Amino acid sequence: MDPAMRLEQHLRVERFGAVRIHELQRVVELDSGRSASGAGTVPADEIGDVLRQMVIVVPCMDEPRRVIEGVLAGIPHDCLIVLVSNSERAPLDRFEIETQCVEEFCRLAERTAVVVHQGDPGLGAAFEAAGMPSLIDDAGLVRGGRGEAMLVGTAIAAMSGRAYVGCVDADNHVPGAVHEYVTAYAAGLRLAGGPYAMVRIPRHPRPVVREGRLFLDGAGGDAEIANYFLNRVLADRSGLTTEMIATGDAGERALSLPLALRLRTAGGRASGAYELVDLFTQFGDPDVEPVAVLQIEMRDSQSHDEVGGGGGPARWMDALAPLYHAPITPPAVREELARFVIDRGVAQPPPREWIYPPLADLAFDLLADVLRREAGTFREIDGRAVPTGPILPNPLGTAVGRAPVPEIDDTPVPIDEVLD
């Protein structure tokens, strides 16, 4: 039985048009008992209802098998797992090892999962046929990057017929943290209600294993930079200083499927910050459908191997790029951001990442057809003793349909023009 969960209950909410950003809440009890009640408590049966409708996307790149096994073990039983890999195929085929790991896990746990490799030409052909050629590079492959992996995973989630999609990283060494994240997603989405809801987990300095010793990395400082500038945009709208946004570059997050299909996606590591930018862009009018954004602070830390030098300019530049180029960013905030970049020895503005259109525009029937015919790495894994139906039963037809989305101004914004 899934545990009940108790969260701090706050009343403070900041609004940006129809976007309602709730104050950061901490997990008070990981398991608040079967008879728990009161504000901030989500009963076990309600959490279970959400988990049964949730898809968890696991972006993966060259992670050790034992770490992947731990992540899979931490994902609650009723969730569908979608592993999107960008791991090397030669000289050692790590993707095949990952697939075997998922197959063995599903057999032992009687679970369902979907796996696919980001560099599969059939995957690129499927997205091109379905109407998203911008996702494809010159070689006909889906562009590499975490944002692209999430986009692929979300498209597969849409074909599952489920109602929610979340993300956990494949490099998490703490299965208990994975379980807490996903349970918190379910609790937050249940509290948010409504068709448009998002739960975001803040980044904090995290323990990393470096040469056999445990250290805290610098992720907290990078997160604070993104939070500061996003809060400046909120303050410009309201006229009041605020620190409400605590999840500016959140990597772990979950959304209702209707919202996930409506939002645009930024490539690479800019996707977490760009989600908020696109929310402000699309839902900046207070008269449109409201969006609830909950921010939940975990009790468990995420421990991971150090990869690529941790924080630094590359990381905070990824988070700042969407805001620097966004039409919603006030001139005064863009100027402050430009001076911040220059003061840290970066002469050029944050580069614009690839921005992909909403998935609601996809022809999902074509996507499903080409995936199954041409993508050799696309596998639907069913370890259930008694299968009760297909894993991906719902190709959704030609398109989901959506409200009009504002056009993006793709004109670059040079720093010298900003500082004139």
Side-chain angles (χ1 to χ4, degrees):
M1 183 175 181
D2 299 300
M5 180 173 276
R6 192 189 305 272
L7 306 175
E8 282 184 330
Q9 192 68 9
H10 297 303
L11 298 178
R12 290 184 58 216
V13 177
E14 286 276 0
R15 287 176 167 80
F16 191 103
V19 182
R20 300 172 182 176
I21 302 173
H22 293 249
E23 186 176 8
L24 183 67
Q25 301 168 267
R26 290 185 303 166
V27 174
V28 176
E29 287 185 294
L30 295 171
D31 185 348
S32 57
R34 296 186 180 183
S35 60
S37 61
T41 300
V42 185
D45 58 340
E46 295 183 13
I47 287 178
D49 289 343
V50 177
L51 292 176
R52 281 187 287 275
Q53 289 294 317
M54 185 174 289
V55 178
I56 295 298
V57 179
V58 184
C60 183
M61 186 171 179
D62 298 331
E63 307 301 340
R65 178 169 181 149
R66 61 177 177 79
V67 177
I68 298 172
E69 288 174 341
V71 170
L72 298 176
I75 298 172
H77 180 83
D78 289 323
C79 298
L80 172 64
I81 298 166
V82 176
L83 187 140
V84 182
S85 175
N86 200 22
S87 298
E88 66 177 21
R89 304 298 309 273
L92 176 66
D93 192 343
R94 292 188 176 275
F95 171 72
E96 191 58 37
I97 294 173
E98 293 159 2
T99 301
Q100 292 171 4
C101 175
V102 176
E103 289 175 338
E104 179 70 3
F105 171 77
C106 288
R107 184 185 65 81
L108 293 173
E110 298 188 10
R111 296 283 295 271
T112 57
V114 177
V115 297
V116 71
H117 195 277
Q118 217 164 322
D120 188 328
L123 180 67
F127 273 93
E128 188 157 22
M132 192 172 284
S134 59
L135 184 63
I136 313 306
D137 64 17
D138 293 340
L141 307 178
V142 170
R143 299 181 192 279
R146 191 179 190 278
E148 288 82 358
M150 272 303 300
L151 189 150
V152 169
T154 302
I156 294 172
M159 294 190 292
S160 73
R162 299 195 181 203
Y164 307 100
V165 59
C167 174
V168 296
D169 285 330
D171 67 346
N172 197 324
H173 287 236
V174 185
V178 174
H179 191 271
E180 183 186 359
Y181 287 177
V182 180
T183 305
Y185 290 160
L189 289 166
R190 182 67 183 86
L191 289 173
Y196 293 153
M198 177 186 295
V199 175
R200 299 169 67 87
I201 308 299
R203 290 190 188 273
H204 292 290
R206 302 180 297 179
V208 296
V209 180
R210 189 182 303 152
E211 297 180 357
R213 300 176 62 190
L214 207 59
F215 297 87
L216 289 178
D217 75 358
D222 298 323
E224 289 172 3
I225 293 169
N227 293 339
Y228 171 80
F229 283 105
L230 283 161
N231 280 314
R232 286 280 288 110
V233 174
L234 275 186
D236 185 84
R237 171 68 70 98
S238 68
L240 299 172
T241 301
T242 181
E243 296 182 350
M244 186 64 76
I245 295 177
T247 56
D249 68 340
E252 277 76 26
R253 53 202 188 274
L255 304 83
S256 59
L257 241 308
L259 181 60
L261 294 176
R262 178 166 173 174
L263 290 180
R264 290 174 289 223
T265 302
R269 294 183 297 182
S271 57
Y274 186 74
E275 276 181 352
L276 289 178
V277 170
D278 200 38
L279 278 179
F280 295 161
T281 302
Q282 293 197 46
F283 297 89
D285 183 344
D287 295 327
V288 301
E289 185 85 30
V291 180
V293 179
L294 274 68
Q295 305 175 101
I296 303 177
E297 182 178 343
M298 299 294 97
R299 291 295 179 178
D300 258 318
S301 294
Q302 174 181 321
S303 176
H304 67 116
D305 288 323
E306 185 180 40
V307 179
R315 188 162 182 168
W316 55 252
M317 286 279 278
D318 287 335
L320 295 183
L323 194 58
Y324 179 84
H325 294 284
I328 60 154
T329 303
V333 177
R334 185 176 286 111
E335 180 178 346
E336 183 179 356
L337 198 158
R339 293 191 185 280
F340 174 89
V341 169
I342 289 174
D343 289 347
R344 280 148 186 80
V346 181
Q348 299 298 320
R352 185 191 297 276
E353 292 286 352
W354 284 94
I355 304 298
Y356 304 108
L359 284 168
D361 292 335
L362 277 188
F364 282 94
D365 50 353
L366 291 176
L367 181 69
D369 180 57
V370 179
L371 267 177
R372 290 184 171 119
R373 282 193 295 107
E374 299 188 22
T377 66
F378 179 73
R379 304 177 196 178
E380 298 169 79
I381 302 168
D382 195 338
R384 296 173 293 185
V386 182
T388 55
I391 298 172
L392 301 178
N394 183 14
L396 297 177
T398 56
V400 176
R402 59 175 172 82
V405 176
E407 293 295 325
I408 301 174
D409 180 3
D410 285 325
T411 307
V413 185
I415 277 188
D416 54 355
E417 290 185 12
V418 173
L419 299 180
D420 280 347

